[in-house]
Each structure stands twice: as structure tokens, then as C-alpha cells.
Amino acid sequence: MTDGGSGGAFPRHIGVIMDGNGRWARMQGKARTQGHLEGLKAAKRIVKAASDMGVSWLTLYTFSTENWKRAREEVSFIMGLVKRYLRGELDFYRQNRIRIRHAGDPEGLPRDIRGELEAACAETRDFEGMQVILALNYGGRDEIIRGIAKLLARNADPPTEAGFRLYLDNPDIPDPDLIIRSAGEWRTSNFLLWGGAYAEYYVSEKLWPDWTGEDLEMAVSRFRERERRYGGAEA
Ligand code: IPE
Ligand code: IPE
Ligand code: MG
């Protein structure tokens, strides 16, 4: 792991709300779909940069449970991009030993996307490098509700906080340390509601398609200046 500058602990798990593809396209006088295409390129740059920096888990908010409200053409374009990404990047994951995982409800995904996702997860499951968690058809409330349904189906004892996390999508993955949002919006938009309870937030005005590894480095170095208190008092 590279040190990445002076300061506090390095974030092990980073979540990214990749926002601003549509605005980027509008500013270029292009269709929204072009923005998503450029957003995919940015996602590839950030995956590479995070892997090089020694991040252990990178959760990418790719498609929310609310994003189905968009025009059918836009939704199917995004799904097509995801499919292409999963297929086209397999050599890259192999070279970099990157494991692909999913957060969100697989049931709501188109059958072919779900198949592609399952194949990529299976193909990379033994890789011990960084884990990229694609939050796809993901909503924080939905994750909690699905968790409760799993718990009830097991007829389990009343849960504790530590016990309930076993019913989340990826119980073995630690809570995110840092959540980054591009395109200047100060809201969670239903991302990692449970796990993100004590995440440090970093909001950047820069639109997602313009993001490079340097922007990630900046976010990490700002994170390392923060004092995390978890409700306690200053030392
Ligand atoms: C993020 O960019 C991508 C997805 C939500 C899929 P947007 O498409 O939300 O871009 P803006 O917010 O309209 O600029
Ligand atoms: C959040 O962005 C979802 C993803 C980045 C996938 P949105 O663009 O959907 O969020 P809102 O609508 O601005 O809150
Ligand atoms: Mg948006």
C-alpha cells in the first residue's frame, strides 16, 4: 500500500456516488447517454487509481433503486454499458487481481445483466486484490428492508446492531470510511444508509466524467485530515 501523503489512517473502504453525467453532457451539448459513456471511462480511471493506491474495497454507486424512474432509453443504455463493462474489463481484473461483487437487489435486474454480473463475480471470486462492489439496483432503504425480510424468514432472535449487519448485502465488508460524491450535491440519495452511519463525506463540484486519479488522491488526503470521533469526545 502506498502512503499517499501525511496524516491519519488511510481509508480501507471508499464509496463513490458517481454523479453529474447528465450535466456534463448538457454542458457539452451532447445527449445524456454520452455523459454515461464518459462516466464509465471515469469509473475505469478511478478503479485503477484506487487499486494502485491500495484501497481494499471500492463501492461504486452505479444505478439506484430510484433510477428506474428515468426514460426507458436512458435506463437501457446504462444497463448496456454495465454489461459491456463487465465483459470488457475481465482481462483488467485478472491482471490486477480485482474481485467484483454486487450490492443491491439482483431480482430487479434484467436477466442478461444479472447473468453477466453473476459470471463476473464468480470468475473473480478468488482474487485477493481490491474488491469493487457495484451498487446496482441498490437502495439503502431497500437493503435494510431486504435484510429484515431475510431475518424474519430465518425466524431469528430480535437483532442487535452487530447481529443485523449479517443480513445486509455483504456482511463481511467493513463499513465505508469515506463516501465521495461528485457534481456538488450534498445528499446521500439512498446510498449505504446502514454502513455509512459514520463515514466521512467528501463532496466535489467536479462532474463525474471529469474525475481522474488525482481527484481521488485529493479526497483521500482530505479524509486523512479528519478526526473521527464516533460520538466520543476529543482526545
Ligand atoms: C449519475 O449521473 C449516473 C447515474 C445516476 C446513473 P446522472 O445521470 O445522475 O447525472 P446528472 O445528475 O443528471 O447530472
Ligand atoms: C445517485 O445519483 C445515484 C447514482 C449515482 C447511481 P442521482 O442522480 O440518482 O441522485 P439524485 O436524484 O440527484 O438525488
Ligand atoms: Mg444525478
Side-chain angles (χ1 to χ4, degrees):
M1 183 193 288
T2 53
D3 184 53
S6 60
F10 189 85
R12 292 190 306 156
H13 180 181
I14 300 179
V16 188
I17 303 173
M18 308 183 289
D19 198 17
N21 294 351
R23 276 163 280 176
W24 184 92
R26 179 157 38 79
M27 285 174 70
Q28 310 275 324
K30 293 178 175 157
R32 290 182 62 83
T33 47
Q34 279 303 112
H36 295 310
L37 198 59
E38 290 304 314
L40 172 63
K41 293 182 194 164
K44 289 187 195 173
R45 290 195 289 271
I46 296 309
V47 168
K48 178 78 172 76
S51 167
D52 291 347
M53 283 168 86
V55 170
S56 302
W57 296 274
L58 179 71
T59 300
L60 298 177
Y61 204 7
T62 307
F63 194 87
S64 76
T65 46
E66 287 73 38
N67 288 147
W68 301 104
K69 292 175 189 161
R70 298 186 180 198
R72 192 144 46 105
E73 299 72 37
E74 181 173 347
V75 170
S76 57
F77 187 87
I78 293 171
M79 291 297 153
L81 276 187
V82 168
K83 193 167 163 179
R84 237 162 70 195
Y85 172 78
L86 289 169
R87 282 224 185 134
E89 292 300 282
L90 213 52
D91 278 343
F92 171 78
Y93 313 145
R94 282 200 201 98
Q95 278 157 22
N96 293 276
R97 314 293 295 167
I98 292 172
R99 179 174 172 193
I100 301 295
R101 302 184 68 175
H102 177 230
D105 188 359
E107 304 281 342
L109 288 170
R111 193 184 292 268
D112 58 333
I113 304 296
R114 190 176 164 179
E116 210 67 59
L117 191 57
E118 283 168 358
C121 292
E123 175 95 20
T124 62
R125 76 173 300 130
D126 296 325
F127 292 168
E128 64 298 318
M130 183 172 76
Q131 300 189 11
V132 173
I133 302 98
L134 295 179
L136 192 61
N137 192 28
Y138 177 88
R141 288 181 173 179
D142 183 63
E143 180 182 26
I144 293 168
I145 289 292
R146 285 184 293 102
I148 293 170
K150 285 182 238 172
L151 182 131
L152 291 175
R154 285 231 188 154
N155 217 351
D157 292 334
T160 57
E161 287 191 11
F164 180 66
R165 66 170 292 128
L166 301 175
Y167 294 92
L168 295 174
D169 285 342
N170 294 295
D172 60 305
I173 298 179
D175 290 345
D177 302 297
L178 166 64
I179 293 180
I180 295 170
R181 182 160 188 153
S182 60
E185 232 70 77
W186 290 79
R187 54 177 172 263
T188 69
S189 298
N190 207 7
F191 188 49
L192 304 180
L193 295 187
W194 182 279
Y198 267 101
E200 298 292 330
Y201 267 79
Y202 176 86
V203 176
S204 155
E205 291 298 320
K206 202 180 243 197
L207 304 174
W208 180 250
D210 292 327
W211 269 62
T212 67
E214 279 176 26
D215 296 294
L216 182 69
E217 276 165 24
M218 175 62 82
V220 167
S221 91
R222 286 285 102 84
F223 168 85
R224 299 184 72 193
E225 293 162 10
R226 306 265 181 94
E227 189 197 342
R228 302 182 79 188
R229 286 194 288 276
Y230 300 97
E234 227 174 304

